[in-house]
Amino acid sequence: MAHKITTQWKGNMQFESDNPSGHTLLMDTSPENGGNNEGLGPKAMMLSSLAGCSGLDVVSIMNKMKVSVDEFKMEVAGELTDEHPKYYHTVTLDYHFYGTDLEEKKIQKAVDLSVEKYCGVMEMFRRFAKVQTNTYFHSS
């Protein structure tokens, strides 16, 4: 299996990229780097991809376990190297679950399965960064 995307220059520092799903997104950079800040930053988008990949796993696994939460969000922080080419050397992914009577053991198992077995983006990140994960439970 392979994925193929097309990324088209839209002028100045902006690019539009498609996805095998048929959706598109805009990428741009900040004014201090010559852009208009009218799109997502490519490096930070990698962090979004990590959260999206793992989040899809976690929700799918929780659904199979018949576990529900009121809210689920992830916060991802990436620390860049000082020298060019700048890349994320350390990434922290925090999982936050909100609800009443949260089934913490099952939810943690869903997170662990994503982190350790299923999330391909997580595995890609591990090839170049130290990845740390934390799970937080917030009772309503």
Side-chain angles (χ1 to χ4, degrees):
M1 182 176 153
H3 292 144
K4 180 183 177 194
I5 61 101
T6 301
T7 300
Q8 178 72 39
W9 179 45
K10 302 303 277 184
N12 196 26
M13 299 294 280
Q14 190 177 75
F15 290 83
E16 181 180 65
S17 190
D18 67 4
N19 191 280
S21 68
H23 298 279
T24 62
L25 61 85
L26 291 176
M27 290 179 281
D28 200 353
T29 191
S30 61
E32 57 266 20
N33 290 312
N36 295 319
N37 206 27
E38 294 178 347
L40 300 172
K43 283 186 191 126
M45 203 166 27
M46 290 178 62
L47 301 177
S48 295
S49 293
L50 174 60
C53 177
S54 186
L56 290 168
D57 290 341
V58 170
V59 169
S60 175
I61 294 164
M62 286 193 316
N63 286 341
K64 288 176 184 160
M65 293 181 183
K66 300 191 182 340
V67 172
S68 63
V69 298
D70 294 338
E71 186 182 342
F72 167 37
K73 73 176 181 182
M74 292 162 285
E75 295 174 335
V76 187
E79 294 180 36
L80 291 166
T81 59
D82 293 329
E83 301 297 320
H84 289 283
K86 294 183 180 185
Y87 63 91
Y88 295 117
H89 61 82
T90 303
V91 174
T92 303
L93 173 51
D94 293 337
Y95 298 84
H96 292 270
F97 298 92
Y98 300 80
T100 53
D101 300 321
L102 292 171
E103 296 182 70
E104 293 185 14
K105 285 185 179 169
K106 287 184 178 180
I107 294 169
Q108 187 62 57
K109 182 170 179 67
V111 170
D112 292 345
L113 283 168
S114 174
V115 169
E116 297 165 10
K117 184 173 182 179
Y118 292 115
C119 181
V121 177
M122 182 87 62
E123 184 58 31
M124 285 187 245
F125 265 85
R126 282 193 195 98
R127 304 294 169 112
F128 59 84
K130 178 182 178 188
V131 180
Q132 303 167 347
T133 60
N134 303 295
T135 308
Y136 299 96
F137 300 100
H138 308 275
S139 296
S140 319

